[in-house]
Amino acid sequence: GGISENSQYRAQGRALDENARLTEFQGEFDVLAALRKSRMEDGAMLADAAAGGGGGGVGAMGSMADILYANAVERQMEALNIRHAAAGQARGLRVQAAEARHNGRSALFNGIMRAGAAALQGASQANARSQVQQINQTERNFQPLGSIPVPRRYGLNPGRG
């Protein structure tokens, strides 16, 4: 009844909590992968610019610096979005875990209430049987043996006897 349901819901809650933890971990892993990929792209872009003889002037380096800065900002925004999405999924899983644990406590409480109601019903039935048995016993003890004797008066004049 309630105890086994509570155990099942608690196990479900633990599994959901673990899934939430893994979701956050995966989100951080995805952030690192995205940052690594972006840095590799920036490195390749710098290597191409240097190999292509983009010029050593201030204007050329300024524009490359602007591009690198814009890429860094975009990279950090992407990282925040990945973290936010992972945190949202983990939060949803934790809410489900809390709901599962609540359902387990409710199942346990309902099981206790059903057991208490069954005990009260059983006690009520036992009390009713006891009362019926007492009535039957009283009726058995009070059984007249034949007719009740009535005094008889003989003669025509009932006043004298």
Side-chain angles (χ1 to χ4, degrees):
I3 294 173
S4 64
E5 285 181 60
N6 184 33
S7 296
Q8 289 173 352
Y9 281 121
R10 287 178 56 179
Q12 182 181 2
R14 284 190 299 273
L16 287 167
D17 280 335
E18 180 63 14
N19 286 342
R21 188 187 70 78
L22 292 175
T23 298
E24 287 175 335
F25 181 76
Q26 183 64 44
E28 287 301 315
F29 182 78
D30 291 345
V31 165
L32 292 175
L35 291 174
R36 185 180 310 114
K37 179 182 174 193
S38 180
R39 280 192 305 269
M40 290 173 66
E41 290 171 356
D42 287 349
M45 187 172 40
L46 279 172
D48 287 344
V58 176
M61 290 310 289
S63 66
M64 182 56 70
D66 289 342
I67 292 171
L68 290 175
Y69 178 76
N71 284 348
V73 169
E74 185 179 330
R75 183 171 47 235
Q76 291 302 317
M77 290 302 293
E78 182 182 358
L80 286 174
N81 286 336
I82 292 171
R83 280 188 184 113
H84 181 71
Q89 289 175 348
R91 194 170 32 255
L93 290 169
R94 284 195 177 97
V95 166
Q96 290 176 8
E99 183 179 340
R101 283 189 290 275
H102 174 74
N103 289 341
R105 286 190 298 272
S106 294
L108 182 61
F109 179 76
N110 289 338
I112 290 169
M113 294 305 288
R114 283 191 302 267
L120 289 175
Q121 184 180 14
S124 174
Q125 289 174 351
N127 187 26
R129 281 193 301 270
S130 173
Q131 287 177 353
V132 167
Q133 287 173 351
Q134 285 177 351
I135 291 171
N136 288 341
Q137 187 64 30
T138 303
E139 288 176 356
R140 271 189 236 121
N141 291 340
F142 185 74
Q143 289 184 358
L145 302 174
S147 62
I148 299 175
V150 177
R152 298 189 185 207
R153 299 194 181 248
Y154 296 103
L156 294 176
N157 192 352
R160 298 195 230 152

